[in-house]
Amino acid sequence: MIRVSAAAKVVEKITGERPHVATLHRWASRGLKGVRLRTAYAGGHRRTTEKWIREFFEAVTASANGGRKPKRLDQDAASRANDELAAAGY
């Protein structure tokens, strides 16, 4: 996990452009096209991951394309649900 304030470098790696730190905080608090960047509060700072940033971009793209979600997001959700069920003994 990385601080939201340091996540601009990750976004630059993905898109080739570095957004202002305030943009990342805005994505986490207000969102973009109805989608908020997933974050967690850890170690006294708001944090995110590269995976969450990529999922955010995919969800924003889906929202911009009329709400169609990429299949991969659905598969990730199913995989997480299966992992949670397995951990719970089901």
Side-chain angles (χ1 to χ4, degrees):
M1 295 190 89
I2 57 173
R3 288 183 182 187
V4 170
S5 59
K9 291 178 185 176
V10 175
V11 173
E12 182 179 27
K13 184 174 90 171
I14 295 168
T15 67
E17 298 176 5
R18 185 181 294 198
H20 194 275
V21 174
T23 301
L24 289 145
H25 285 284
R26 187 173 54 251
W27 290 347
S29 63
R30 290 191 307 220
L32 179 65
K33 296 197 179 291
V35 180
R36 286 197 329 216
L37 175 62
R38 183 175 172 191
T39 62
Y41 191 77
H45 298 277
R46 185 70 46 196
R47 298 178 185 270
T48 191
T49 67
E50 182 174 344
K51 179 181 176 187
W52 292 349
I53 293 169
R54 290 183 183 276
E55 288 174 352
F56 171 76
F57 286 147
E58 289 176 6
V60 168
T61 300
S63 179
N65 290 338
R68 294 173 303 198
K69 292 183 180 180
K71 288 183 181 178
R72 199 171 114 220
L73 281 181
D74 294 338
Q75 291 170 349
D76 287 347
S79 177
R80 283 192 302 270
N82 285 332
D83 291 345
E84 289 176 19
L85 287 171
Y90 291 100

